[in-house]
Amino acid sequence: MAVAPDLHLHYTEACQNLSQPENPFIARVLQEADKNDEITTKGITLKLAGNNHLVPVPRVTDNDLAVLVSVLGQAPFVTGLDLAYNLLTDVGAEIVAILLQENSTLQYLNLMFNDIGTSGAELIAGALHNNQSLVHLRMTGNRIGNQGGMFFASMLEINSTLKKLDLGDCDVGLRCLVATAIALTQNKSLKAINLNRPLLSTQQEETTVHIALMLRSNSSLVELHLGKHEMKNFGVERLCDALYENSTLRYLDLSCNNIICDGAKCLGELLKKNHTLEILDLDANRIEDAGIIYLSEALATRNRTLKALSVVSNNITGRGLVALAQAMHSNMTLSHIYIWGNKIDRSTCAAFAELLAVERLQPDCTDVAPYTVDGEIFLAQLSHGLAKHRYWSPRCAAVAPGAANASLEIVPVSEY
């Protein structure tokens, strides 16, 4: 039986050797890891995120990371490293790059919302040219810019191991999105990519056109996030045309765009013929009643594949929401539905209360819950949704993973 090395002891010794004071947060996490009896058989993720603690912790700095990486060289059973919401800069990115070049067991790396810039992105992307272990990388919220994004696009032309890449909120631009789309026409390994909130200086939707062209030929992508792309009906039409030919995409995120009822009509026609899409996120658009009725008709009559639909904050009234509720009675596949932020009236309250009462809709699969006051039914908001745990994950298993529905919680990438 393999004996796990004492991570905390090695960390203490490394701090002494490098004349670096111990970070009590890192020390505590390593002590907890040492107590894990299955550490050498199943592998562990060191959860060093700086934002998920009730009591503030000293966030990880570049110097702290240098010491930690020296310890990880003796810990092949550490397969994941969560360093989100810390104080890492481009100096820390250089340390990460060295780790990726030398480590052959790390599969998950979360660097979201640090202070890594363009040069740091170049180092990390360069290290991934030859890395053959990392499967999931999150760079969300680091201001790597358009040039930094270009380095990752070039990496996708070479790397054949990475399955999930998150570049959302990274200030990437037009050139990066186009280059990424072109790279994904050749890349056969990437399963999921987040390209939310690019900085675009044009309203011509060139990026959507290129992404649509990519979807026609890409046969590996399962999850695609295109939130905050200022996408209009023209862009949705291009995507729908491409998805008639695509047979792999399961999760499409079009939240926070400028899609109105005509775009929803295109999506409704797509749902009548598409037999692969399982999750559709239309949060914070403006499809209104006409748009949701198009979608409801497709779900009620033709589509038996979609499992989750979010239409939060789409200016939908009771007429459209009731139509959606009625569609669920005839469609037994659709299991997760999110409607908060629309114009909920009495008819909506009654319709969704009935869905929950007959157990057609489970309480942890929607974002509303009925309650009664003076004999009248109302709906209250629940903190459920497709993005519930996208940027924050509880340290304890207080919620069943399927209830969070973040990323591919409903249908994991590995299943494809």
Side-chain angles (χ1 to χ4, degrees), residues 232-264:
K232 305 177 186 64
N233 294 333
F234 172 81
V236 175
E237 290 175 12
R238 304 289 81 74
L239 289 178
C240 288
D241 289 343
L243 289 174
Y244 282 113
E245 302 178 27
N246 183 290
S247 60
T248 57
L249 194 70
R250 302 295 197 272
Y251 186 168
L252 179 60
D253 175 8
L254 300 178
S255 59
C256 303
N257 281 294
N258 298 318
I259 302 169
I260 60 174
C261 61
D262 289 342

Side-chain angles (χ1 to χ4, degrees), residues 80-377:
L81 193 55
D82 184 352
L83 293 165
Y85 292 94
N86 281 300
L87 303 174
L88 304 181
T89 67
D90 289 339
V91 175
E94 184 176 3
I95 298 169
V96 169
I98 295 172
L99 174 66
L100 291 173
Q101 289 170 339
E102 298 178 350
N103 187 291
S104 61
T105 59
L106 196 68
Q107 299 177 26
Y108 170 69
L109 178 59
N110 188 348
L111 296 172
M112 64 192 298
F113 291 101
N114 279 278
D115 195 23
I116 298 172
T118 301
S119 59
E122 181 179 11
L123 293 168
I124 294 172
L128 289 175
H129 284 200
N130 297 316
N131 180 280
Q132 297 182 356
S133 64
L134 197 70
V135 174
H136 186 182
L137 173 63
R138 302 195 70 177
M139 292 293 295
T140 328
N142 288 287
R143 296 183 177 182
I144 65 174
N146 196 60
Q147 187 57 49
M150 290 290 290
F151 292 125
F152 281 102
S154 299
M155 176 272 296
L156 290 175
E157 297 178 352
I158 300 171
N159 183 287
S160 60
T161 306
L162 200 65
K163 290 186 178 180
K164 298 182 72 174
L165 176 62
D166 193 336
L167 296 178
D169 295 276
C170 282
D171 292 355
V172 302
L174 174 64
R175 289 176 55 239
C176 169
L177 294 180
V178 172
T180 301
I182 293 173
L184 290 178
T185 60
Q186 303 296 325
N187 184 292
K188 304 299 180 185
S189 60
L190 199 71
K191 301 289 186 182
I193 189 166
N194 181 357
L195 297 171
N196 285 349
R197 207 216 61 152
L199 299 183
L200 301 176
S201 58
T202 174
Q203 298 288 322
Q204 300 304 312
E205 298 196 69
E206 300 101 319
T207 57
T208 310
V209 172
H210 282 277
I211 290 171
L213 289 173
M214 175 272 293
L215 288 173
R216 291 179 184 272
S217 58
N218 182 283
S219 59
S220 63
L221 207 61
V222 175
E223 173 181 357
L224 177 61
H225 293 271
L226 299 174
K228 301 179 184 177
H229 274 239
E230 300 183 22
M231 192 183 305
K232 305 177 186 64
N233 294 333
F234 172 81
V236 175
E237 290 175 12
R238 304 289 81 74
L239 289 178
C240 288
D241 289 343
L243 289 174
Y244 282 113
E245 302 178 27
N246 183 290
S247 60
T248 57
L249 194 70
R250 302 295 197 272
Y251 186 168
L252 179 60
D253 175 8
L254 300 178
S255 59
C256 303
N257 281 294
N258 298 318
I259 302 169
I260 60 174
C261 61
D262 289 342
K265 182 177 182 180
C266 292
L267 289 167
E269 293 300 317
L270 172 68
L271 290 176
K272 291 179 181 180
K273 298 179 181 179
N274 180 282
H275 299 296
T276 55
L277 203 61
E278 296 181 359
I279 307 172
L280 178 59
D281 188 347
L282 293 173
D283 279 10
N285 283 282
R286 201 175 180 84
I287 66 172
E288 301 184 331
D289 286 346
I292 195 61
I293 288 172
Y294 284 129
L295 294 173
S296 299
E297 179 188 1
L299 293 169
T301 59
R302 302 283 289 278
N303 184 280
R304 293 297 182 268
T305 310
L306 199 72
K307 295 181 179 179
L309 173 65
S310 183
V311 289
V312 170
S313 300
N314 266 275
N315 201 38
I316 304 170
T317 70
R319 174 169 164 260
L321 295 172
V322 169
L324 181 58
Q326 291 172 343
M328 289 200 73
H329 284 293
S330 56
N331 184 324
M332 295 295 110
T333 307
L334 187 63
S335 59
H336 296 69
I337 192 163
Y338 307 99
I339 64 165
W340 190 258
N342 292 295
K343 299 178 179 179
I344 296 174
D345 60 7
R346 291 183 179 181
S347 61
T348 305
C349 296
F352 277 83
E354 180 186 2
L355 286 174
L356 289 160
V358 300
E359 298 185 350
R360 172 62 192 88
L361 188 59
Q362 298 301 316
D364 59 353
C365 296
T366 185
D367 59 349
V368 293
Y371 66 98
T372 303
V373 177
D374 295 334
E376 186 173 342
I377 300 174

